[in-house]
Amino acid sequence: MIMGPKRDEAPPKAPPGVLPKAPPGVLPKAPPGVLIVDDNPSIRALLEMQIRRLGYRTLAVKDGDEALAAAQADDFGLILMDYSLTGMSGADVVSRLRALGGRASDIPVVGISANPDFFRTPHEDAARVDANIDKANLHQSLPAMLERYVGMKELDLDELAHRHDILGATKMRQIVTAFLTEGDGRITALEAALARGDYRDAAEIVHRLKGGAAVFQMRRLHALLGELENALTAEGATEADARSRFDSAARGWRRARGCCLRWLDESSAQQD
């Protein structure tokens, strides 16, 4: 007698490097990626080993040209950028990355250097990195840094699917679309408030945006907005700090928004 598979038998796994087919209405998930940019092969190998042990996939490249090409070819959750690269500097690479447009331009970047004095130069502001870490402290900082920039979800797709089942496809798409339109307006209003130096109004806008991020389980965006709100309400808040936090939060919004748009496309395709 031919026996079928047992009910509790696990489904066959996809081959390495191939994403399993996602159920209807669910986007396929890949391990979050980290792009390492350093011209020292020993440091590249060490960082790859450490990051992979923490459960993240990696790609390591040696210069700015390779970094820009890789950032556009894959969807990374974080870029570790050495400032002292051979040829194009790390600061110049990040400036070019931000000018690319599209999803690649919004990837969080952490600048790394063996010279902490470099972080106090104007290069940091020009490059618009999200954070800086001294290479001497990188090993200890890696777990928390990866959780912050890669581990936190842009959007909780499971929660979105649950609400989709409860409210129905049409209603849920209307809610998400309205949220995105409202969020775009608030980002524009926030930038205008910062331009005129009205930190009180800016903080109120950020607080409302943060509430929406919490409702839609956009955890990374929620954390970035929280940091921006703190920067705006802190005693002695500076324009440079507020602008840097806004840039990070705006990039976080665009990435979360992109996840929502992909979910809308997927949902519409399933409905059709």
Side-chain angles (χ1 to χ4, degrees):
M1 181 173 65
I2 299 174
M3 300 294 290
K6 295 180 182 180
R7 288 189 177 182
D8 57 351
E9 192 173 286
K13 293 184 178 180
V18 177
L19 290 176
K21 186 175 180 181
V26 178
L27 295 176
K29 299 177 181 178
V34 179
L35 177 59
I36 301 163
V37 188
D38 199 298
D39 57 4
N40 186 317
S42 298
I43 292 177
R44 289 199 305 271
L46 181 61
L47 285 175
E48 279 205 286
M49 179 186 68
Q50 292 175 329
I51 293 171
R52 287 178 178 177
R53 282 181 176 176
L54 293 169
Y56 302 92
R57 64 183 177 90
T58 63
L59 175 65
V61 299
K62 67 180 183 301
D63 58 36
D65 289 330
E66 290 185 358
L68 292 171
Q72 295 174 84
D74 199 350
D75 183 21
F76 293 99
L78 175 68
I79 298 175
L80 286 180
M81 180 68 66
D82 180 28
Y83 278 112
S84 302
L85 295 174
T86 302
M88 194 189 317
S89 73
D92 288 338
V93 177
V94 182
S95 294
R96 293 191 187 190
L97 179 75
R98 297 302 185 219
L100 285 174
R103 188 167 175 79
S105 66
D106 293 325
I107 300 174
V109 178
V110 171
I112 58 175
S113 177
N115 180 12
D117 289 337
F118 185 87
F119 300 151
R120 290 185 281 272
T121 72
H123 291 286
E124 178 186 348
D125 293 334
R128 293 186 177 181
V129 298
D130 293 85
N132 285 307
I133 295 180
D134 185 349
K135 282 185 177 179
N137 301 320
L138 189 54
H139 176 72
Q140 297 90 335
S141 304
L142 268 177
M145 179 184 67
L146 292 170
E147 171 60 23
R148 167 184 165 79
Y149 289 105
V150 191
M152 288 186 184
K153 293 182 178 180
E154 304 280 5
L155 178 68
D156 192 329
L157 292 172
D158 293 333
E159 179 62 23
L160 210 56
H162 176 64
R163 297 179 188 183
H164 178 280
D165 293 340
I166 293 174
L167 298 174
T170 301
K171 183 64 175 176
M172 194 61 205
R173 284 202 299 270
Q174 289 174 346
I175 291 173
V176 172
T177 301
F179 169 70
L180 295 180
T181 301
E182 181 182 80
D184 285 341
R186 285 181 172 165
I187 288 290
T188 301
L190 173 57
E191 188 165 25
L194 289 174
R196 64 177 182 269
D198 190 344
Y199 288 3
R200 180 175 180 179
D201 188 31
E204 291 177 359
I205 296 170
V206 170
H207 188 76
R208 290 194 290 270
L209 268 170
K210 194 172 70 168
V215 168
F216 280 86
Q217 297 291 296
M218 296 173 170
R219 292 170 187 158
R220 185 183 300 170
L221 176 61
H222 185 270
L224 292 171
L225 289 169
E227 292 173 1
L228 174 56
E229 186 177 26
N230 290 339
L232 291 170
T233 55
E235 185 176 349
T238 66
E239 181 180 353
D241 189 31
R243 186 70 211 187
S244 174
R245 300 290 185 182
F246 169 77
D247 286 342
S248 292
R251 290 192 290 269
W253 165 254
R254 290 192 294 268
R255 288 177 65 87
R257 187 182 190 279
C259 288
C260 284
L261 290 175
R262 290 193 294 278
W263 180 87
L264 285 170
D265 289 342
E266 184 79 8
S267 176
S268 296
Q270 291 297 325
Q271 185 71 11
D272 295 340

